[in-house]
Structure formats: C-alpha cells, structure tokens
Amino acid sequence: MSTLFSLAEEIRRCTSCPLWKKRTLAVPGDGNSKTKIMFVGEAPGVEEDRQGLPFVGKSGKFLNEMLNLVDLNRKDLFITGAVKCRPENNRVPSAKELQTCKELWLDKQIGLIKPELIVILGNSALKSLLKKTKLSELHGKIIMGNNQKYFVTYHPAAGMRFPKIKEEMKKDFLKLKSFVNLLY
Ligand code: SF4
C-alpha cells in the first residue's frame, strides 16, 4: 500500500509530463501527514526546484507571514503544489500538465491524508482541483466539491507583489482561522 513517503519517491522519478525534463528536483510536498488541513499552491519556483521542498523561496516567506498572522504553524499542515516540477521560467502550468499531475499524484496525496479542509492557493490550484477560474469571486469562501471542503485564496506570489491582494489575503486568512478553529 502506498504511503506519502513512497508516493514522494515515485514523484521524484516521474516522467509523465514534459515538466520533468527541466527540473532539478521534483517537489512532492512537505509537512504533517496526519493534518486536517492541506495547502495546495501552483508549482515549484527556482528555490523549491533547488531544494526539493515547497514554499521555501520568497513566496514561502510570504506564506509564513500569512500563517503567522493567524497562528497556524507549517509543521501542523501539509503543503504541496498542483504540479510537482518547475515549469521553465516560472510559466503557468498548462491544463494538460495540471490534469496529469493531479490524476497521478495530487489525488493520491489527498486520498492518503484525507484532510478536512484543502486550502487552494491561487488560480492553478483552483483550476486543478475544482475546474474553476473566478478566483476573485471565490476567494475567502468555503466551497464544497467532490465530497471535499475547500477554502480559496490567492497565491502568495500575487500577495507578495500586489498590496491590494496582500490585504485581501490577510482578510482571507483571518476567515480561514475561524474555519480551522471549528476543526479542532
Ligand atoms: S509535474 Fe507531475 S506529472 Fe509532470 S513530471 Fe512532474 S511529477 Fe510527473
């Protein structure tokens, strides 16, 4: 039977979409396998690709800032991406890449962790997990789909760049905290 650990080993060897060709290291995800809350971002950036870990670059620092704001600790969460290998020049992953990586890996990770809540960070994760696009209308809300509860917010890279989005993200994370409090 697969475990998160064995799945991570398979992900590091995966060649199922073209993204494997330019990666340094695949980034399967990191954190607490017994968590009730899973975060799904977009794709590894340059630092994540170098270290093989999610959200360890600049957007990771920003994510930490948002988590600290609401007293959530990374060691209590599981964090991964919609695709596990870095797209060249940080381009947005294609629909086909998102679908392949979800069906092969993300769905299995979710199946093993069985989180009570999945936090969607940005458009690519929204597209991958819910096949939806209107992030600006959906953020800050709980959405039900596939017998799973999701909470939608912006990607940390957007929050980092645009002060207005940073303010929206702060409000989203405060709402998220109130939902998370109900889980414990
Ligand atoms: S992005 Fe996902 S599907 Fe594509 S090669 Fe990497 S692990 Fe495999």
Side-chain angles (χ1 to χ4, degrees), residues 11 14-17 19-20 23 83-85 100-101 104-105:
I11 289 170
C14 178
T15 55
S16 297
C17 87
L19 292 180
W20 77 273
R23 75 180 173 219
V83 295
K84 317 301 189 194
C85 303
T100 304
C101 209
L104 274 176
W105 307 120

Side-chain angles (χ1 to χ4, degrees), residues 28-70:
D30 187 44
N32 185 338
S33 60
K34 302 209 181 335
T35 187
K36 293 182 180 179
I37 313 155
M38 192 169 165
F39 279 63
V40 182
E42 182 173 285
V46 68
E47 198 53 36
E48 290 77 14
D49 174 73
R50 200 175 66 78
Q51 296 189 38
L53 291 167
F55 284 103
V56 286
K58 282 186 195 159
S59 38
K61 279 195 189 131
F62 184 87
L63 177 61
N64 291 345
E65 192 188 318
M66 291 296 114
L67 293 172
N68 289 340
L69 181 73
V70 295

Side-chain angles (χ1 to χ4, degrees), residues 2-21:
S2 287
T3 62
L4 273 184
F5 184 82
S6 65
L7 220 53
E9 287 302 302
E10 289 181 66
I11 289 170
R12 289 187 189 102
R13 293 192 299 269
C14 178
T15 55
S16 297
C17 87
L19 292 180
W20 77 273
K21 290 180 192 163

